[in-house]
Amino acid sequence: MIPYGRQSLDQADIDAVVEVLQSDWLTQGPTLERFEVAMAARVEAGFGVAVCNATAALHIACLAADLGQGDLLWTTPNTFLASANCGRYCGADVDFVDIDPLTWNLDARLLARKLEVAERDGRLPKVLVAVAFSGQSCDMRSIAQLATRYGFTVIEDASHAVGATYAGRPVGCGEFAAMTVFSFHPVKIITTGEGGMVMTNRPELAERLRRLRSHGMTRDPVHMDEPSHGPWYYQQVELGFNYRMTDIQAALGLSQLNKLDAFIGRRRALAARYQAALTDLPLTLPCAQTEAESAWHLYVVRLQTERLTLSHREVFEALRAAGIGVNLHYIPVHLQPYYRELGFTSGDFPEAERYYAQAISLPIFPAMSETQQDYVIEQLRRLLTTGKA
């Protein structure tokens, strides 16, 4: 089975992890700090705060933005559940903005229209989670301008976009978002096994993010309500969580970061081969967002189902039967039973629903060979041209 994505590990990664295992620190130690500093330097951000996974990163980013009961978070329906759930963890209400039919990212034009209505109704969002779907940023310039006008905080969920650029700068630099979240899950661009990080340029946010990831504790006298009792003393000053990343994970992340350019280069080469080989088929291929250069975490095509005799499911299952581990990113979040219980229904976000009825994620990962890719292309071409599963 050719998977849709997988990690790429080598002996240097193994050696980095073993070195930490043989050291005095296994968690919240010097390797973690080095990883945070290295990631911040790579993306031109002031600070990085590493946590156990990107869902935790989204949660504490929302808390650092003071999202809470009675507030409103908006995001895209075409994303993983965590981009919306992070708002619910904070007690906030969640709503969605439909996707651009070309880029499949949150549509900034629809966002502008929805904000006009929300301002009139007195129900503006406090946080917008802008998802860099498949590795490509949204129209972040327009979104940042709208944030300034309407007063909401932008969190870019760049779980797919380590190594991507927008407006000529690395995603995560903080030019267009107060905070940016990265994921280091094994199928992502680089991996720590599990892990995530929040990037920000604001020291007060970084300080609070660090406190929130570790039980809401502080040893800083500035934040205590009485003098320290001694060197052992700490106070819990707010409700926090145990979202810490280990030095073992950070060592793997540091080693992987050294290979980021090679990983991105290979992904872009594979994406270019797909773009050239599939252009004559009844497919809608990925379209570039203005100013964005994708990291190509995913390569998604949309079947032009009106031109096909096979159904979306039949194509998907035939590719799986041929040993190709295609996937589907994503089921629109508003159609999940939990969100239906909150009042959402079919037809609320029609473009995301059309996308879902047509999308297939094809394999793309750095270790994928051109022979494997040619086989994927050959099998997809056979299905779409013969109409036989």
Side-chain angles (χ1 to χ4, degrees):
M1 180 70 72
I2 303 170
Y4 85 86
R6 71 182 308 273
Q7 69 273 16
S8 294
L9 302 177
D10 61 17
Q11 190 61 46
D13 298 319
I14 296 169
D15 292 343
V17 171
V18 170
E19 183 177 352
V20 168
L21 289 171
Q22 295 173 336
S23 75
D24 294 330
W25 290 89
L26 294 186
T27 192
Q28 289 294 111
T31 306
L32 176 70
E33 293 177 6
R34 287 199 298 272
F35 183 39
E36 290 175 331
V37 169
M39 278 298 305
R42 173 64 197 230
V43 304
E44 301 175 8
F47 307 94
V49 179
V51 290
C52 55
N53 54 60
T55 300
L58 285 165
H59 184 193
I60 63 172
C62 288
L63 290 171
D66 291 322
L67 186 72
Q69 193 77 34
D71 292 329
L72 186 57
L73 176 146
W74 289 1
T75 189
T76 172
N78 184 33
T79 187
F80 185 59
L81 305 170
S83 306
N85 288 350
C86 58
R88 299 296 295 157
Y89 299 156
C90 299
D93 296 326
V94 170
D95 201 355
F96 303 93
V97 179
D98 211 349
I99 63 173
D100 185 310
L102 296 178
T103 66
W104 316 332
N105 267 326
L106 183 148
D107 191 326
R109 294 162 300 181
L110 293 179
L111 173 63
R113 292 178 210 155
K114 186 161 184 156
L115 286 165
E116 289 177 4
V117 174
E119 183 178 46
R120 184 191 66 207
D121 295 343
R123 191 70 172 124
L124 286 166
K126 189 163 191 176
V127 168
L128 177 80
V129 176
V131 178
F133 173 71
S134 78
Q136 177 174 241
S137 288
C138 301
D139 181 359
M140 295 302 294
R141 188 182 300 278
S142 296
I143 288 170
Q145 290 169 351
L146 291 167
T148 298
R149 176 177 173 183
Y150 291 100
F152 57 84
T153 297
V154 178
I155 299 170
E156 184 170 18
D157 181 351
S159 295
H160 296 181
V162 176
T165 63
Y166 179 82
R169 296 191 65 195
V171 170
C173 70
E175 185 173 355
F176 301 103
M179 290 170 278
T180 300
V181 168
F182 290 135
S183 171
F184 309 124
H185 183 276
V187 297
K188 299 301 197 307
I189 308 298
I190 63 173
T191 186
T192 59
E194 279 280 8
M197 194 177 293
V198 188
M199 319 306 301
T200 186
N201 291 331
R202 292 166 52 183
E204 73 279 7
L205 286 178
E207 181 180 36
R208 189 165 184 215
L209 289 162
R210 292 189 186 107
R211 192 164 63 237
L212 285 165
R213 77 173 169 191
S214 191
H215 305 283
M217 293 164 41
T218 184
R219 297 180 186 272
D220 186 347
V222 171
H223 299 293
M224 294 183 185
D225 66 358
E226 63 178 340
S228 174
H229 298 180
W232 65 86
Y233 193 63
Y234 61 84
Q235 286 187 347
Q236 180 188 342
V237 297
E238 63 181 319
L239 183 63
F241 305 86
N242 184 357
Y243 283 169
R244 296 185 295 248
M245 176 185 279
T246 69
D247 271 37
I248 301 166
Q249 294 166 297
L252 178 55
L254 267 171
S255 180
Q256 287 267 294
L257 189 57
N258 292 328
K259 297 182 275 285
L260 179 57
D261 288 336
F263 289 165
I264 294 293
R266 182 58 180 161
R267 286 177 178 276
R268 287 177 176 161
L270 290 168
R273 290 188 87 241
Y274 273 138
Q275 293 285 95
L278 301 176
T279 187
D280 62 325
L281 294 177
L283 298 169
T284 301
L285 303 183
C287 177
Q289 165 70 51
T290 303
E291 299 194 274
E293 189 171 9
S294 181
W296 292 107
H297 162 56
L298 300 174
Y299 187 88
V300 179
V301 297
R302 289 176 68 167
L303 304 180
Q304 295 175 2
T305 46
E306 71 281 1
R307 298 174 57 190
L308 299 174
T309 56
L310 293 174
S311 70
H312 180 224
R313 182 168 180 169
E314 285 171 332
V315 173
F316 188 99
E317 291 181 343
L319 289 169
R320 283 274 181 99
I324 300 167
V326 290
N327 212 328
L328 204 166
H329 301 86
Y330 289 98
I331 305 166
V333 178
H334 70 285
L335 298 182
Q336 294 292 346
Y338 174 81
Y339 284 94
R340 286 182 182 271
E341 286 292 318
L342 296 177
F344 295 101
T345 190
S346 298
D348 284 348
F349 304 100
E351 190 56 45
E353 293 171 30
R354 279 191 289 271
Y355 165 90
Y356 171 58
Q358 300 170 336
I360 296 179
S361 299
L362 301 181
I364 187 167
F365 52 94
M368 186 180 189
S369 69
E370 293 186 359
T371 299
Q372 288 175 313
Q373 188 180 32
D374 287 342
Y375 176 72
V376 173
I377 294 165
E378 172 193 328
Q379 291 301 310
L380 184 58
R381 180 175 292 278
R382 176 185 64 79
L383 289 168
L384 300 187
T385 54
T386 68
K388 297 178 181 178

